[in-house]
Amino acid sequence: DSIGNLVQIDLQGNQLQNTQTSGRMEGYHTVTQDGDLIYTDRKNKVINRITPDNTITEFIKTGEWEPISIHSSHINGDILVGMRKDGEPSKVTRYNKTGTEIQNIQSDNKGQALYIDPRYITENINGDVCVSDSNKLAVVVVDKSGQHRFSYIGQRSGFNPYGICTDVLVHILVCDDISDTVHLLDQDGQFLCLLLTKQQGVKYPCSVCVDDENNLWVGQWNTNTVTVYKFLQ
């Protein structure tokens, strides 16, 4: 089983702590409203919590489901988890901030499975749940009640989505492994532009995040580099 490392650094790039995980290429960590770091342990089928004093405790047991991706809501503190289980369609489970399961999102209104491999997950400020599914080769977006709104399958040149986030203008930003760029979409899945390309020195972008100051953080998997860009002025 491949081993991941969850590395915390300060803004100068100095390493503060390093936690070994069972994660691979997926969005398996998030910070809760209380400032705790939580991450999925797919091997042991649990979600762990790291408190500010660096204590690791078990937070949520996911039963027979393998938790892949996780996101803590900025709207209400709910925790959204992309899950997989052999022989079953994948799903997104919503927990409240105390860890009680309150919603499962699994199929559209025709009964078709929404997800195969929900690798990265985020929530837009309109309440939409946005999942980057690298097996469906699509970004799958449902509203907060779980109704399928749209799926974005890239432009003409093929598309393999990885890290995903949203911004204060309700845009969706998603890394594309094939073109080595970040696609910028509006809240309804319309393609707006390629945000970062090889011309900006981006290679293999796999994770993306917009912070409170509207800086754009991009992680690149082959160089283990995180690059920070000024995004919205």
Side-chain angles (χ1 to χ4, degrees):
D1 218 325
S2 57
I3 296 294
N5 288 306
L6 203 46
V7 180
Q8 186 184 12
I9 57 170
D10 63 20
L11 292 177
Q12 285 69 50
N14 305 306
Q15 183 172 314
L16 302 176
Q17 67 162 332
N18 189 342
T19 307
Q20 213 170 62
T21 68
S22 60
R24 300 172 200 161
M25 289 277 282
E26 59 246 345
Y28 63 81
H29 70 288
T30 188
V31 176
T32 67
Q33 276 187 334
D34 303 331
D36 293 339
L37 180 64
I38 56 175
Y39 67 94
T40 61
D41 179 347
R42 56 195 293 171
K43 203 158 118 224
N44 297 306
K45 300 183 175 69
V46 295
I47 293 158
N48 290 325
R49 183 202 296 271
I50 306 180
T51 54
D53 65 357
N54 290 346
T55 313
I56 300 178
T57 55
E58 211 172 79
F59 175 38
I60 299 170
K61 284 187 164 72
T62 55
E64 297 178 340
W65 290 84
E66 207 181 325
I68 306 294
S69 54
I70 192 165
H71 175 75
S72 175
S73 168
H74 300 296
I75 299 172
N76 54 22
D78 286 353
I79 293 153
L80 297 159
V81 185
M83 308 243 232
R84 221 167 43 188
K85 181 183 169 190
D86 284 345
E88 296 247 6
S90 296
K91 66 175 182 175
V92 168
T93 298
R94 181 188 295 269
Y95 298 90
N96 66 16
K97 60 175 99 175
T98 59
T100 304
E101 187 177 307
I102 50 179
Q103 184 189 27
N104 281 292
I105 303 166
Q106 201 163 15
S107 49
D108 64 17
N109 54 14
K110 297 186 187 76
Q112 298 293 309
L114 286 166
Y115 314 111
I116 301 175
D117 192 9
R119 284 263 189 111
Y120 293 83
I121 185 168
T122 194
E123 181 185 55
N124 214 336
I125 54 176
N126 62 4
D128 286 353
V129 178
C130 310
V131 167
S132 176
D133 191 318
S134 57
N135 207 304
K136 275 205 160 181
L137 303 178
V139 171
V140 181
V141 176
V142 300
D143 67 18
K144 59 175 170 287
S145 69
Q147 288 290 309
H148 183 231
R149 285 198 61 225
F150 64 85
S151 293
Y152 171 76
I153 55 168
Q155 300 306 295
R156 285 166 300 283
S157 55
F159 181 61
N160 188 8
Y162 275 81
I164 190 167
C165 73
T166 61
D167 67 17
V168 291
L169 302 176
V170 215
H171 294 138
I172 299 167
L173 293 77
V174 60
C175 299
D176 173 27
D177 185 48
I178 290 180
S179 62
D180 289 339
T181 59
V182 176
H183 292 220
L184 183 68
L185 317 177
D186 73 10
Q187 62 182 318
D188 299 314
Q190 293 302 309
F191 174 75
L192 299 176
C193 66
L194 293 177
L195 210 51
L196 295 170
T197 62
K198 288 176 181 147
Q199 279 71 47
Q200 275 98 357
V202 174
K203 248 193 165 157
Y204 311 115
C206 67
S207 57
V208 66
C209 172
V210 178
D211 68 17
D212 294 339
E213 269 116 51
N214 295 316
N215 298 308
L216 175 61
W217 298 68
V218 181
Q220 300 170 72
W221 67 262
N222 69 322
T223 55
N224 285 346
T225 307
V226 177
T227 311
V228 188
Y229 298 89
K230 199 82 205 125
F231 178 38
L232 300 170
Q233 300 299 330

